Amino acid sequence: MSEKNEQGKRAARDRLVQQREREKARERRRRSMIVGGAVVGVLGLAAVVGVIAANTGGKGEKEKAAGPLVAPSGATGKDGLAIRSGPDDAPSTLTIWEDFRCPVCAQFENAFRDTFHELERAGRIRTEYHLATIIDGNLGGSGSLRAANAAACAQDAGKFSAYHDLLYRNQPQESVDAFADNDKLIDLAGKVPGLDTPAFRGCVNDGKHDSWVQRSNAVFQNSGFGGTPTVLLNGDPIFPKKGNEPITVANLKKWVAEAEKGRKPATGTPTPASGAPASGASATHTSAPASAAPTPVAGASATTRPAAPPPAVAPPAPSGS
């Protein structure tokens, strides 16, 4: 009789566990946002359809301590958590929250990066990148954190832009946590001239900027944003649409023009990122000035972005690696 009771209790516990898992799955599906956006290239239209990485990753969960907070060179923005590209005095600011494991982030970047570069070179926008680790929280693993730390290490070398773009062009499938492998991240760095150095390797393997990334992610999770990518133009959300208008290359340029309100584009010459070798920086690279270089205190970051060719038809989906 007691054995039957024990079996009944185990069955009840199993049913309770299964019910909780089903409830969690329903909540994840509910909070996932289905995105259908049209992306305009020079020659045609490429559809971008995917699931935004929903911001469901445990606001109350404590992240594993990762040592003292050390920001990458040239940190800027509120609380020093932005990696900036474009002239400081541009009339408009494009704010982008991203996760390197997020597939829609890759679709978005691969479709719009040429337009961002074009507007930055024209002095019309500055782009501020913020890094999050939502996929790690939702699916498990550490690829979001490891890739973000490596990108911050690339920023120290003045090569954030090239490495950032490379990571998205070589993004693995969302369920494959390939970016959790530091050797993989270092191998990709070999494709960026001058980045694969002992200093970069040490920064990646030591997780030098892990705490900075975790701080950035904590700010994101408490921001009220629904998921990644989150894209704001002068504080107003524009992805996947602004009002009733979907984001396209043409609409983005129109919104930037409307936001300028007669203000002139920036005219200053962009400077290399703080801490970056001047000889390794393109004339179009931009970032916070050297005087803004942070000390190892509450999060910080800066950025550079290289010139890009005129926009072409955007890749419809992130490439595998």
Side-chain angles (χ1 to χ4, degrees):
M1 189 73 177
S2 59
E3 183 178 350
K4 289 184 178 180
N5 288 340
E6 187 62 29
Q7 290 175 346
K9 290 179 181 179
R10 282 199 298 269
R13 285 196 296 268
D14 290 343
R15 286 195 298 271
L16 181 59
V17 170
Q18 292 172 1
Q19 180 181 350
R20 288 176 177 172
E21 288 301 319
R22 287 195 295 270
E23 289 174 352
K24 288 180 181 179
R26 282 197 296 270
E27 178 64 11
R28 286 195 294 268
R29 288 194 296 269
R30 184 184 71 80
R31 299 189 66 174
S32 294
M33 296 177 290
I34 305 301
V35 178
V39 181
V40 176
V42 168
L43 302 178
L45 193 67
V48 174
V49 180
V51 180
I52 288 181
N55 185 3
T56 61
K59 291 184 179 181
E61 296 176 2
K62 293 183 179 179
E63 291 187 283
K64 183 179 178 181
L69 194 152
V70 180
S73 299
T76 188
K78 184 178 180 181
D79 297 330
L81 294 175
I83 293 182
R84 179 175 294 172
S85 173
D88 293 343
D89 57 344
S92 290
T93 301
L94 188 69
T95 303
I96 303 176
W97 288 87
E98 294 180 323
D99 182 327
F100 284 111
R101 286 181 71 187
C102 163
V104 179
C105 295
Q107 293 173 337
F108 172 75
E109 278 289 338
N110 293 336
F112 285 95
R113 73 165 58 92
D114 289 348
T115 304
F116 299 156
H117 296 338
E118 176 188 346
L119 293 170
E120 289 165 359
R121 293 196 304 271
R124 299 179 65 188
I125 66 169
R126 60 178 176 269
T127 306
E128 295 188 349
Y129 288 94
H130 298 259
L131 306 181
T133 60
I134 301 304
I135 303 297
D136 286 357
N138 289 351
L139 298 184
S142 60
S144 300
L145 173 62
R146 299 267 48 82
N149 173 69
C153 294
Q155 168 60 23
D156 286 340
K159 298 180 182 295
F160 171 86
S161 178
Y163 190 65
H164 164 277
D165 293 353
L166 185 69
L167 288 176
Y168 278 121
R169 289 190 179 108
N170 291 271
Q171 185 190 70
Q173 293 181 1
E174 184 181 18
S175 59
V176 179
D177 195 21
F179 283 166
D181 183 356
N182 284 339
D183 289 340
K184 170 71 172 177
L185 297 168
I186 291 171
D187 182 62
L188 286 172
K191 299 180 180 180
V192 178
L195 179 56
D196 186 6
T197 63
F200 176 81
R201 287 174 174 241
C203 181
V204 171
N205 286 323
D206 294 343
K208 178 179 178 181
H209 300 299
D210 281 2
S211 290
W212 176 81
V213 175
Q214 291 173 347
R215 169 60 180 161
S216 178
N217 185 63
V219 170
F220 177 77
Q221 288 191 342
N222 288 289
S223 66
F225 297 135
T228 56
T230 289
V231 188
L232 312 172
L233 179 61
N234 296 328
D236 296 325
I238 62 171
F239 183 86
K241 61 183 180 178
K242 179 183 179 185
N244 294 323
E245 296 182 298
I247 186 169
T248 65
V249 169
N251 278 343
L252 177 59
K253 291 181 177 180
K254 182 186 74 170
W255 298 335
V256 169
E258 291 172 347
E260 287 172 351
K261 298 178 180 177
R263 290 176 293 172
K264 294 183 178 179
T267 57
T269 301
T271 56
S274 173
S279 61
S282 161
T284 58
H285 286 200
T286 60
S287 75
S291 60
T295 55
V297 291
S301 131
T303 211
T304 62
R305 273 186 105 65
V313 176
S319 59
S321 174

